[in-house]
């Protein structure tokens, strides 16, 4: 299958996106490839539709994703909402609701002041009156055409949707900013553990993996549930063997920024790979990689095509570099492209 045919298929699916409301009960034709790298739909098929909506998750499943990834934040009444950040401004129409104008405030996240509308200042019933919007409208105008169409969803609703499918699809929730909630006397770890226990999804073999950028948060939730857990590691540079040894005792996965594996040179092009995948695998750790996006803005300089930041570059070549190294899973906003590059 050529990349061109994949792109045409993606365009056709996007054209039909208006019919996605009925996808929740529809079977997906593609089968998972457990003996090959898994494709994780990053926030759903977020290259095509507004992220963290049921429609974006359903499109990802239809495109053959093995895993869908909901980021989780807490509402005022303790519900787990699928949103990229506690702040709602960039991904919802909250600013267009005058009844909520007085909710705008400034809070500290990771020690930095952030001003906006925070999900934890809204009840779930209030959040259900909002609608999702595309976070990157200049790069993804096709997705932005769906602004205002899709409601916000809880992780519980995502799990209800997955239960309707005729094949196994893993959900990979990320607990966002656990320490932010801890400082407010809230526990995102307990909220997630309670839900998984209630749904009997708190076992090692459950189709739910758990991730966070905060190591201590993962250790905390591991005291409550037996699910596979993975630490997200940003940045670029070597990870010491002693650190990997510790992770191998406490984690199942290290989920790495692409630059940890293929560093960027000074000119933004891709450099020779590091040995992190081999060293992690020797210790029994899976290696997941994020995030693969088709637009030139996100690609290494030597894989861009043209000068338009929104144009698509040679993402197929980028996938191949990582697949050839034997990574266990890739996060992509374009799950159809990840599946096609793997299957080719």
């Amino acid at each position: 299958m050529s990349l061109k045919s994949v792109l045409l298929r993606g365009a056709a699916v996007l054209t039909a996106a208006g019919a996605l409301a009925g996808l929740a009960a529809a079977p997906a034709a593609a089968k998972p490839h457990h003996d090959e790298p898994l494709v994780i739909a990053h926030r759903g098929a977020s290259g095509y539709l507004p992220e963290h909506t049921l429609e974006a998750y359903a499109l990802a499943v239809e495109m053959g994703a093995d895993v869908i990834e909901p980021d989780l934040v807490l509402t005022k009444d303790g519900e787990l909402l699928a949103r990229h950040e506690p702040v709602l401004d960039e991904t919802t129409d909250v600013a267009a609701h005058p009844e909520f104008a007085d909710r705008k405030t400034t809070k500290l996240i990771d020690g930095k002041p952030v001003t906006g509308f925070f999900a934890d200042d809204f009840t779930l019933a209030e959040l259900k009156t909002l609608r999702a919007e595309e976070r990157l409208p200049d790069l993804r105008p096709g997705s932005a055409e769906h602004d205002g169409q899709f409601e916000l969803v809880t992780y519980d609703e995502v799990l209800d949707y997955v239960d309707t499918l005729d094949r196994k699809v893993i959900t990979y929730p990320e607990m966002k900013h656990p320490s932010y909630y801890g400082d407010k006397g809230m526990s995102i770890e307990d909220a997630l553990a309670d839900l998984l226990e209630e749904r009997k999804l708190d076992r090692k073999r459950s189709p739910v993996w758990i991730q966070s950028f905060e190591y201590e948060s993962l250790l905390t939730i591991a005291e409550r549930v037996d699910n596979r857990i993975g630490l997200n590691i940003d940045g670029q540079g070597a990870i010491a063997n002693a650190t990997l040894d510790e992770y191998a005792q406490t984690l199942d996965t290290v989920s790495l920024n692409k630059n940890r594996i293929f560093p960027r040179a000074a000119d933004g092009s891709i450099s020779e790979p590091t040995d992190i995948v081999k060293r992690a695998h020797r210790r029994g750790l899976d290696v997941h990689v994020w995030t693969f996006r088709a637009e030139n803005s996100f690609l290494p300089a030597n894989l861009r095509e043209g000068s338009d930041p929104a144009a698509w570059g040679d993402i197929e070549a980028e996938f191949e570099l990582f697949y050839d190294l034997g990574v266990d899973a890739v996060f992509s906003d374009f799950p159809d492209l990840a599946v096609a590059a793997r299957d080719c």
Side-chain angles (χ1 to χ4, degrees):
M1 182 186 297
S2 70
L3 183 59
K4 181 179 288 186
S5 67
V6 173
L7 302 189
L8 290 173
R9 179 165 70 103
V13 173
L14 184 56
T15 301
L20 279 174
L23 268 179
K31 300 298 180 186
H33 293 67
H34 296 301
D35 57 342
E36 296 180 326
L38 297 179
V39 170
I40 302 168
H42 184 241
R43 311 176 195 169
S46 56
Y48 299 110
L49 291 174
E51 64 188 41
H52 292 311
T53 58
L54 196 59
E55 290 77 10
Y57 299 136
L59 180 55
V61 172
E62 183 71 9
M63 288 177 162
D66 306 293
V67 184
I68 54 177
E69 187 238 7
D71 294 331
L72 302 183
V73 303
L74 284 174
T75 70
K76 184 177 182 179
D77 43 352
E79 298 289 340
L80 291 164
L81 184 74
R83 284 289 95 191
H84 174 50
E85 294 288 347
V87 186
L88 302 168
D89 301 53
E90 291 187 344
T91 62
T92 76
D93 63 354
V94 62
H97 287 253
E99 68 273 24
F100 299 137
D102 62 348
R103 308 284 178 93
K104 192 168 188 175
T105 187
T106 299
K107 300 185 182 186
L108 291 179
I109 298 182
D110 297 336
K112 299 177 182 178
V114 178
T115 299
F117 297 91
F118 290 76
D120 44 283
D121 290 330
F122 293 78
T123 65
L124 179 59
E126 290 172 328
L127 290 163
K128 283 292 188 179
T129 68
L130 307 183
R131 292 297 178 265
E133 292 188 347
E134 170 55 44
R135 189 172 57 89
L136 303 169
D138 292 338
L139 294 180
R140 296 172 178 174
S143 176
E145 291 178 2
H146 299 276
D147 284 358
Q149 295 180 9
F150 308 139
E151 72 172 31
L152 311 191
V153 295
T154 65
Y155 183 44
D156 203 23
E157 290 171 316
V158 174
L159 291 172
D160 285 343
Y161 157 68
V162 170
D163 283 346
T164 70
L165 301 173
D166 69 345
R167 68 171 172 94
K168 178 182 175 182
V169 172
I170 296 164
T171 63
Y172 198 178
E174 179 187 338
M175 299 180 293
K176 301 296 293 192
H177 304 288
S179 58
Y180 164 77
Y181 295 109
D183 290 344
K184 295 169 62 64
M186 306 172 77
S187 173
I188 195 168
E189 297 92 347
D190 282 345
L192 180 55
D194 288 346
L195 178 60
L196 295 180
E197 289 173 358
E198 177 185 336
R199 298 185 69 118
K200 295 182 171 56
L201 289 172
D202 57 336
R203 292 91 191 259
K204 192 72 171 182
R205 297 180 63 84
S206 295
V208 175
W209 304 340
I210 299 171
Q211 56 175 320
S212 176
F213 280 89
E214 297 188 22
Y215 183 50
E216 292 300 322
S217 175
L218 293 172
L219 298 183
T220 296
I221 198 167
E223 295 176 357
R224 294 273 319 268
V225 302
D226 293 325
N227 302 70
R228 295 180 64 82
I229 60 174
L231 177 66
N232 299 331
I233 304 174
D234 203 353
Q236 179 167 305
I239 300 174
N241 284 333
T243 301
L244 288 177
D245 290 340
E246 179 183 354
Y247 292 161
Q249 296 299 315
T250 53
L251 305 171
D252 300 285
T253 302
V254 286
S255 184
L256 306 177
N257 184 309
K258 292 184 297 183
N259 296 342
R260 292 274 182 181
I261 298 175
F262 279 94
R264 298 283 181 97
D267 65 355
S269 62
I270 223 165
S271 300
E272 290 298 310
T274 67
D275 64 351
I276 183 62
V277 175
K278 185 180 298 184
R279 290 191 294 122
H281 280 168
R282 278 204 300 261
R283 289 162 172 80
L285 289 163
D286 283 352
V287 178
H288 299 173
V289 191
W290 46 272
T291 301
F292 292 83
R293 298 179 169 108
E295 296 93 352
N296 281 329
S297 291
F298 303 110
L299 285 167
N302 52 325
L303 295 181
R304 297 170 190 162
E305 297 183 358
S307 58
D308 181 357
W312 288 11
D314 193 358
I315 189 175
E316 185 178 50
E318 187 179 37
F319 279 128
E320 289 174 358
L321 289 170
F322 286 84
Y323 288 157
D324 286 348
L325 276 188
V327 302
D328 299 287
V330 297
F331 288 78
S332 182
D333 292 6
F334 299 86
D336 56 339
L337 305 187
V339 169
R342 179 188 66 187
D343 292 351
C344 284

